[in-house]
Amino acid sequence: VWLEPSRFARLEEIENLLASDDQELIGDFSKAHLLPTVEGKDPGLKYISPATLAAVLAGHFSGFIESSIVVDCRYPYEYEGGHVKGAVNLPLQRDVEQFLLEQPVVPLDASKRVIIIFHCEFSVERGPKMCKFLRERDRCCHEYPQLHYPELYVLEGGYREFFFQFPSHCEPRDYRPMEHSAFREELRKFRGQSR
């Protein structure tokens, strides 16, 4: 395939960056990840600790971040039972598409970042899966490697771990597990919708 020289140079630059084994670049390869990462279940995703999320919420990175969106992928009954202050509840793929892709969040200050942090109860399945889904849908909307949201993270340990370490950052200050006996019917309904 013939490419324009400028586009070819950009792709060559990206390939060189990737070949240098620097896997710390954000999704559009324009810069390094801002937040310190920790090891997580999926090596293809970037995980942050509960302490890093608390630091973001407290404004410690506000000089670099214009907007941070915490996406709670748990089911509504879990979210209502306690969630990270300011988090948006997007349990289904269509919710993520509507909220994040129909009218993308664009930084007004080009030097600042928009970061998205996904989580579910333990950040083992629903949160990581939704993070991958957003990246995949975002890639489809652009010419590679451009993205609306190049900087995505998953909260290691999920809401459960965050709540136990930082309950003051949660509202209501509580934790309702997915397997709560009073919400079996809701669980069955949402599991069916998620498939």
Side-chain angles (χ1 to χ4, degrees):
V1 171
W2 182 85
L3 299 172
E4 306 151 31
S6 62
R7 184 160 175 236
F8 179 75
R10 179 77 176 125
L11 288 173
E12 190 174 36
E13 180 187 338
I14 290 165
E15 286 171 1
N16 289 339
L17 286 168
L18 291 174
S20 73
D21 207 31
D22 184 355
Q23 294 299 308
E24 294 308 308
L25 296 175
I26 62 175
D28 63 3
F29 312 117
S30 63
K31 56 181 90 74
H33 282 85
L34 174 66
L35 303 181
T37 58
V38 295
E39 216 166 290
K41 184 183 176 215
D42 187 326
L45 299 174
K46 294 296 178 190
Y47 290 80
I48 61 167
S49 70
T52 298
L53 175 55
V56 169
L57 296 173
H60 294 275
F61 295 91
S62 60
F64 304 97
I65 297 173
E66 184 168 306
S67 181
S68 58
I69 303 166
V70 178
V71 177
D72 188 329
C73 301
R74 297 175 304 150
Y75 303 136
Y77 68 89
E78 295 172 90
Y79 176 85
E80 290 158 10
H83 57 269
V84 175
K85 286 181 183 172
V88 292
N89 187 215
L90 306 175
L92 302 173
Q93 290 180 346
R94 68 173 179 254
D95 300 328
V96 167
E97 282 186 300
Q98 281 179 330
F99 190 85
L100 294 170
L101 294 173
E102 283 184 8
Q103 289 193 320
V105 179
V106 180
L108 300 173
D109 179 344
S111 71
K112 290 199 172 187
R113 305 174 188 222
V114 172
I115 65 164
I116 302 181
I117 301 162
F118 290 86
H119 76 83
C120 53
E121 185 174 6
F122 305 107
S123 287
V124 170
E125 190 170 329
R126 293 174 287 173
K129 212 173 185 178
M130 203 66 86
C131 183
K132 287 179 176 176
F133 171 76
L134 176 63
R135 173 55 49 83
E136 182 184 296
R137 298 298 305 136
D138 200 357
R139 282 260 184 247
C140 291
C141 303
H142 295 92
E143 189 172 306
Y144 186 83
Q146 297 169 343
L147 291 163
H148 286 305
Y149 305 109
E151 198 155 359
L152 307 178
Y153 298 96
V154 176
L155 174 63
E156 177 59 24
Y159 179 75
R160 182 179 188 277
E161 192 60 38
F162 186 81
F163 172 72
F164 287 126
Q165 290 185 37
F166 300 98
S168 65
H169 283 291
C170 302
E171 60 185 9
R173 206 180 278 201
D174 205 357
Y175 162 52
R176 182 179 292 157
M178 180 180 80
E179 301 279 352
H180 194 288
S181 58
F183 296 91
R184 284 194 183 116
E185 191 55 39
E186 286 90 335
L187 173 59
R188 206 166 52 75
K189 182 185 105 182
F190 272 97
R191 274 196 171 145
Q193 288 179 336
S194 299
R195 295 192 196 286

